[in-house]
Structures are given as C-alpha cells and as structure tokens.
Amino acid sequence: MNQQLGKRFVKLIFGLKQSLSRGHRELNTAASVAVCVLLLHSIGLLQSLELAALDQFFRLRPNEPPEERITIVGIDEADLKEVGSWPIPDAKIAELLQKLNVHKPRAIGLDIYRDLLVGSGNQELHNVYQSMPNLIGIQLLADDENKNVSVSPPLGLNPDQVGFNNVLYDLDGKVRRSLLYWHVNNQEHESFALKLALLYLKSENITPTKAKNNPEYLQLGKAAFTRFEANDGAYVGANDRGYQILSNFPKPKCRSSFREFCSFRQVSMRDVLADKVKENLIKDRIILIGSTAPSLQDFVFIPYSSSLIGTAKPVPGIQLQAYFISELISAAVDGRPLLKVWPDLVEYLCVFVWSYLGAMTTLRIRHATRSLFSILVCCFVLTVSAYLAFLYGWWIPLIPSLVCFGTSAIWMTSHIAHMQEEWKRSKEFLHHVINTIPDPIFVKNEQHQWIVLNEAYCRFIGYPNKFLIEKSDYDFFPKHEADVFRQQDDLVFRTQQPQEHEEEFTNADGKTHLIATKRSLHKDSAGNFFLVGVIRDITQRKLMEEQLKRTAAELSRSNNELKLKEDHLRYLAYHDPLTGLSNRKFFAEQLYESLHWAQHNNLLLGLLFIDLDGFKQVNDTLGHEMGDRLLMTIAERLSNSLRASDTVSRLGGDEFTVILRAIPNVQIAAKVAEKILSSITKPIVLDGYTIRVSASIGISVYPYNSQDSETLMKQADTAMYRAKRLGKNRYEFA
C-alpha cells in the first residue's frame, strides 16, 4: 500500500517538471539580454554613452609629470592688439622664428596657415624658411568632410617640412583620434604632429620601422601604434580613412591651481619678441606656434573639455597638437601605454558574462535588499575594473556591460516574483498530498531549507512541523550527519538525477536509525526547483545484514587458517627441511610426471645423480653443523645453475638429483653437468675456513637409456659410481 502511494506521489511531482534543466533560466536570460544590447550597440545607440564614459575616465585619471619637452608660443588677444592685424605680417613671423632658433630648439612647429604673402618681409621669411631645417609648417588636405577645401603649405617652405592638419571629429564634435598618415593621389602625407615627433625622436636615435607583431603597424621605439578600425571600442561605422590611432591624451600636472584642466608650458609671442623668455624653455624642446586668442576661434573639444557639472570648455588647436605630439614621444621613449581595444569576440564574451552575472546574482540571492546591494557592488566593480584597465591602455566596453547587468537583474527580479507566487500555490498543494502518505517525506528548496514536511516525518524526527519549517539539517542533526545530508542533496541538485543513499538519522530522543532516502529533483511551472525525499527505516534489516557478515567473516577466517596449515604441511611433506629443496618424495612424483610429459610431446629428458666428493671429511673434521651449512651452500649453487623449468632435489645426505626437461640433445645434459661441477668446485668460506669439495655426476637420458623412472634412476646412480671410480670431479653417461 505504501509503495503504491509513493509511486503515485512521484508521478504527481514529475508532472510538474518542465523541459528546461537547472541553470538554463540564467543562460537564456543572459543570452537574450546580451543579444538585444549588442544589437543596440551595433546600430550605434550606445555610442554616445560609451564615449561620455571614456571622457570621464580621462578626467579622473591621475596627473602625470609635467611635459618638459614641449613649449607653446601662444598668439593671444594681447599679441593681436600689439601687432594690429591678422594674419600676422611675414616680417613679424620671420622675427619670431629667428629669435626662437637662436636658443636651438629641436623642432619648431608653425601651426598657422601661411599660403599667402602677408605684408612686408616676404623675402626675409622665405630666407628664414630655407635656413631652418627643423621648422615644420602646416597644410590642410582636401577630403569629403570639408567638401574638398584645402589650404596649401607655406610659400617657400620645403615640402618635406610640411605636415597636414586634418582633425578627426566624432559625432558629438569631440576629437578622440589622430591621423598619422594619409594617402592623397597615391602620395603619402605625414601629419603635423607626427613630423614634429619624428624630428624630436631622431635625436634619440628612434626612427619609424614596421612593428614586429604586425608589419602593417608603425613601430616607434618602445611603441607599436595599432591602427584604428571603423568599429573599434564604442565606435560604429566610424570613418577610418588613413592611418588613425585612438588618442590616449596625456594629463600633464598643472602648474597653477586655478586652471580648469592641465595643459603645457606656454609663453606669449610678445614675450619671445621682447627676449623675456628663458632659454631653458626653448632649448632642446619642441616649440609650437599657434593661436590661443578666442576671437580667432581655433578651438576644439577633447575628453578633458567635458565635466559632470557645467558646460564643456574647448582647448586651442595648438594645444591639441601638443597633446598629439606628447603622446607620440612618450609612447616611443617612455613606453607610455597607447589606447587599445579588445577584439570583437572578446568584447561580446565580456558583455555576455556580465549579463549572466546580473541574472545569476539576482536569482541566487532572492532578497530585495541584498540583491540591490549586490547589484550596486557589481556595477562598482565593473566600473573600477574598466577604469583600471583604461589606466593601462585598454578601452573595454563599460556601458553595454552595465546595461546588460542591470537589465538581466531586473528581468530576473520579475521572474523571481512570479516564481514565489507559483511556489506558494505548489507548496500548499504538495503539503495536502504528502500528508496522505505514511512514509516520512520532506521537501527542500534550493537553500536546503525544509518547506514542506508530512506528519510522518515530524513523528519520525520528534519535532513539530512549526519548529522545522524553513530550518536546515544543521539545526537539528549532528554535524557529521548533516554534512552527509547536504552532500547528497547537492548531488541531486547538480545532476538532476534521482539518487538513493543509506544514512544515519538521529531523532529528538537521541536514538540513531539507519535509513534509506530516495531523493529526486522537481520543478513547478514557474521554474522553482525543489528536492523531494522519501525515507525508509532500515535499522532492523541492517542489523541482520551485519550479523550475517560477521558469521561469514568468521567462517572465511577459519577456512583461511585451515588452508594455511594445509599449505604448510604440504610444504613440509615435499621439501627438505635443511636446504629447502624438494625431497625424495617430490622428486619421484616430478620424475614420473616429467617422463609422461616427455613421452606425450616426444622430447628428451635428462636425469643427473650428484654425490659430493670429500663431504665426509668435512663432517668429521669441522663438525655436522659446518657440514649442514656446506650442504645449504651447495643447494643454493645448484639452484642458480639450472633453468626455472628444471627440478633439483636432495635425496638425503650429500646426494642430489636434477631433472632436465625438454633438452634438444644429450650434449645439453653434459653442458649442464660441466656448469654444476664448475659451480661446486669454487671455494666455500665458512667461519674463516676455506672448504673445497667436488662432485661425481651420473647422467641417464630418456628414451635412450630407459623409458621408466626406476631404470633411469638406477642407470644414473650406476654412472655416478663409475665417475667416482674414474677419479671423481667428473660426470659419466649411463
């Protein structure tokens, strides 16, 4: 009756199970959210947020040492007022360049378009151009974005001393990338910043080469410049013309606290013309000449322009060039990290992992306050990790991961609310069903807490239901028992397969039972997992089994002792107690069996009779104890002289026999006899006495001498005595 009720209950529980296995809920949620977020990312909807996050990383990064390799000569409003016109006349530019060149800078960058003659001093400026190989001018190359507008290089300046000034703007109007090279009409052009950096690095013996890891990349000193591609980082379908890199803008330490953000060493044009600038600010540096006057509107926005509060403040174009040049030189000379991105596949995997963590964290905790705290901690960890990676030159996806994590957590939270409602209904139904079954039954949730117990279980454990609900095994059982229960529960949760296991169970009265528990995992329509256990008391059965095992063990032990005694007696019956060799009885049986085997297989068999020469004299002079030790040594030498298939026996006294099985011819028996004689005649040292003995050997061979054992033995014995008469220490054939 109990078995039928148990089967019906298991059938009922299995009806609640769904096709999804454990863990699929998190995976399905994570995969769905990740695909949606990556789709949003692929069409560019997250690009602005990701770029804004990158800007904040730039602003939060620690200040770097002051940039002592670059000085900006700014043309501000006061300079324009003093000069009185714009563009500045050629004579003033020539004078400015000459005064700077006196202090021997490594390079001078003229970030002013000079494609027309301006005022007086045209020839003077031309002569200055020709006399300054370290001067780099600037031009604007035509492209589609500025509608084929271009600005020619300065008149009279060598084309090799001109770099282009095309600036790349993102959709939000900021500059985050820089161009190193550009091909126009199959002609390669170098950027203004790159030309100045190369002039500086030339003095450091650093020249452009191909990168070792990718020949298509530029290598400068310690840095390989990874080429920007259209979908790197947060970008989606960006213009990747020419050789671009993601700019990892430096952050030189501010020299004055009132600055909004850090900049480079800067002097004014009027101070240079008035010789008020110290030589150390010019000598061996890169000097950049450009406009800083607001009226000229030569300003751009970079990541440092943004702030969480307030409006964005642009930087002068000449300062942008300083950032580019500083980055190139620092990377080549100091190994300063460049900004790199992960491959697309790694980014997708990272997004999926955080999506999975969001779902799993919420599903495992299932507590509103703790879940919220865990989500905040995980978001903080993700942001800090992305920031630390940024400090080492890696731009990893932050916004897609955060969106995936948060969305998965919200999705799973709504799912948990549905699960809890379904579980409440399932719990009431299960409690009603299992109370009709007389066997102890328990139901646990994934936190290993009892959630449903039938009355039989409460009687069995000895506690009322209200004390047990939402408690665990560790609250009522000894630790060693609770550990076993937890281990078996985990096995079922992990494998999702029914398991049956025998365990110890101590009830409230301290009485220990032996039980067999069958556990199985089930899931309701909302995906709630629960473990159902059915218990049978097998204490009496186990006691009977143990009694039978003890009886069987005693019988087995008795049989083993009898067998050992039998083996010992058999050994004594067939072996010589002194030498350990087989005795006369064993020899006779072996000779009979060997002859029968030789007859059946049509093989030869040799029989050797050995008698020691001079053994009686050893016994008489040195004593029987010494004689026994001599016999033991001779027995060992005989055993070592034979094959494993041969049999050596001691018949008694100093007589030995050897059975040679399966010999191909009689000469083999002679060689064995010679080997035995050689071994026996070697000196034997016993208690300081050197003893020399020899042997006489008689040989008979089956079937040449006889076909029965007795005759073979007699003929071998006769041959042995003939060997003694003929002088001993020899062998004779029958």
Side-chain angles (χ1 to χ4, degrees), residues 413-473:
T413 300
S414 63
H415 170 67
I416 290 173
H418 175 64
M419 287 174 61
Q420 291 174 343
E421 183 62 28
E422 286 292 325
W423 172 240
K424 182 179 179 181
R425 289 196 290 266
S426 299
K427 179 179 176 181
E428 294 173 353
F429 178 69
L430 287 173
H431 191 270
H432 174 73
V433 172
I434 64 176
N435 270 333
T436 63
I437 301 175
D439 286 332
I441 295 176
F442 62 86
V443 180
K444 294 180 180 179
N445 59 18
E446 294 177 81
Q447 288 72 44
H448 300 276
Q449 297 172 325
W450 291 306
I451 53 175
V452 179
L453 300 168
N454 69 349
E455 295 177 359
Y457 186 88
C458 296
R459 288 194 300 269
F460 191 49
I461 192 175
Y463 293 100
N465 188 290
K466 63 180 180 179
F467 287 172
L468 300 174
I469 291 300
E470 296 186 358
K471 299 294 194 306
S472 71
D473 297 316

Side-chain angles (χ1 to χ4, degrees), residues 30 34-35 37-39 41-42 231 233 235 342-355 397 400-401 404:
V35 168
V37 171
L38 289 175
L39 181 61
H41 169 71
S42 66
N231 295 311
Y235 288 97
W342 283 351
D344 289 343
L345 184 60
V346 178
E347 287 192 2
Y348 299 160
L349 181 61
C350 176
V351 169
F352 172 77
V353 167
W354 281 101
S355 180
S401 299
C404 277

Side-chain angles (χ1 to χ4, degrees), residues 552-565:
E554 291 174 0
L555 291 174
S556 176
R557 187 163 52 250
S558 299
N559 290 337
N560 289 337
E561 291 175 356
L562 289 174
K563 188 176 185 306
L564 289 174
K565 290 180 180 179

